[in-house]
Amino acid sequence: MRILVIGSGGREHALVWKIAQSRLVAKIFCAPGNGGIAHLAECVDIKADDVFGLLEFARKEKIDLTVVGPEVALSLGIVDEFIKAGLKIFGPNKNAANLEASKVFSKQLMQKYNVPTADFKVFDDPEAANKYIEKIGAPCVVKADGLAAGKGVVVAKTVKEARGAVASMMQDKIFGDAGKKIVVEECLAGQEASIMVITDSKQVLALASAQDHKRVFDNDQGANTGGMGAYSPASIVTADILVEVMEKVIYRIIDGLAKEGIGYRGVLYAGIMLTKEGPKALEFNVRFGDPETEVILPRLKSDLVEVMLAATDEELIKVKNLYWDPRACVCVVCASGGYPGDYAKDKEIKGLEEAEKLKDIVVFHAGTKKSGDKILTSGGRVLGVTGLGDTIEDAIHKTYKAVSKINFEGMHYRKDIGARAIR
Ligand code: AMP
Ligand code: GLY
């Protein structure tokens, strides 16, 4: 088969790496890809949100299956366009992608189908939002309705901060139309976990659990990032909790969508808060999580392409089980100086080969590019150094040993990835 993967981050490197191990695959393309992906796939210079450019490429290259990494193309309806053109593509259609593209849609669906989630109200008027914030007090959470590249959520510690978020979203319009409507909700306390499933709308297969680390500094301090590392399995997700999440969150939302006439095919990501009252859904994403994918796929023993094809063909029932490596996996993100603010680029990365020579280590590239024989930094999150170990401690130890071999000017990373699992 000829496969096209869309995207350019660590998640897409992990997808390409796993897809390359499939016995079904002869050739992989990645649009636009990155310096690490280029070793496994032919990178093509088409942007990840250029729906018609990607469609034309897939037609011309006779692609048998397209796999979409990031959410933007999904929300633009890439799946609908590919299906219209008779091409196979793994991912939800535009209506289903609203689950991530509109927080209002997502929260209202959760409410309608009884998915446990934070209490909330929707506003299209800043005055009314502020009045509500005064009433419920702080802490509270303010969310822009639309896609905002992961920056549309403010967990406000004070009423002033919450009002500031309302003003910047609705009056200063920092996210454009994405902030026309907002959700104001109750702040939940607890540990977070990420649960992903693959579904064809009827059958559902859970992937291994994971936990990511969103803040830039150790002990969850500092600004939010796209993710500074992850580990799998998330030990706080016990078998009982997983059953509860599947029953109360995953099945209810997939069945709810079906009742609305929307069949969900692809991977569904639920961000879960494990509260004292039980698991509650924080959000849904309609794609693989990043960096969760980097720690889940190295543990997956089943053929991912077979599973994605079955979901795309609505024959997931044929896949009885997913098989997992019982070992733990840890991913430490090496970021550019300044990230998550403005950061430097074009720094040469040294030590990659030495790190990758280590047993059970794979280095996923997130923001890199090839320049001659050199690999240069090209993004905020640069590498996801990933290691497997018999225990989480062992995986942490091996991964940080690999990180110590790598350097580039300004490189920074968290020193406590996975530590929560031991505590
Ligand atoms: P979201 O994009 O909705 O997942 O929000 C991003 C992050 O904001 C989540 O991973 C949580 O850390 C935090 N968050 C979102 N909603 C809430 C909430 N109701 N209570 C506490 N934290 C939240
Ligand atoms: N790791 C969070 C996300 O992929 O949105």
Side-chain angles (χ1 to χ4, degrees), residues 46-66:
I46 307 173
K47 292 211 170 70
D49 59 359
D50 178 2
V51 171
F52 290 98
L54 293 162
L55 179 62
E56 194 189 310
F57 178 83
R59 260 204 198 116
K60 191 182 78 190
E61 288 293 339
K62 303 200 165 31
I63 299 296
D64 298 300
L65 179 68
T66 297

Side-chain angles (χ1 to χ4, degrees), residues 351-370:
L352 281 171
E353 275 181 25
E354 222 184 312
E356 279 173 319
K357 258 190 240 150
L358 298 172
K359 192 166 172 275
D360 297 324
I361 292 293
V362 48
V363 180
F364 294 123
H365 292 221
T368 73
K369 64 177 184 202
K370 255 181 111 169

Side-chain angles (χ1 to χ4, degrees), residues 103 118 141 143 153 185-188 192 214 282-283:
K103 301 259 190 222
V141 183
K143 301 183 172 186
V153 174
E185 68 181 35
E186 163 203 15
C187 187
L188 300 176
E192 281 182 53
K214 289 197 166 89
L282 290 170
E283 63 162 343

Side-chain angles (χ1 to χ4, degrees), residues 11 100 194 212 214 226-227 269 283 285 287-292:
R11 165 183 55 205
E100 177 167 358
S194 311
D212 75 352
K214 289 197 166 89
Y269 169 123
E283 63 162 343
N285 293 323
R287 49 164 176 85
F288 286 99
D290 193 352
E292 289 91 335

Side-chain angles (χ1 to χ4, degrees), residues 190-194 210-212 214 231 234 236-237 269 271-274 282-283 420:
Q191 276 218 55
E192 281 182 53
S194 311
Q211 202 174 42
D212 75 352
K214 289 197 166 89
Y231 65 94
I236 47 166
V237 182
Y269 169 123
I272 302 289
M273 186 75 90
L274 300 169
L282 290 170
E283 63 162 343
R420 240 187 262 147

Side-chain angles (χ1 to χ4, degrees), residues 155-174:
V155 180
K157 288 199 194 77
T158 61
V159 165
K160 191 174 162 213
E161 196 186 341
R163 293 181 65 118
V166 172
S168 52
M169 287 177 196
M170 303 192 91
Q171 282 149 334
D172 307 339
K173 300 189 168 73
I174 56 168

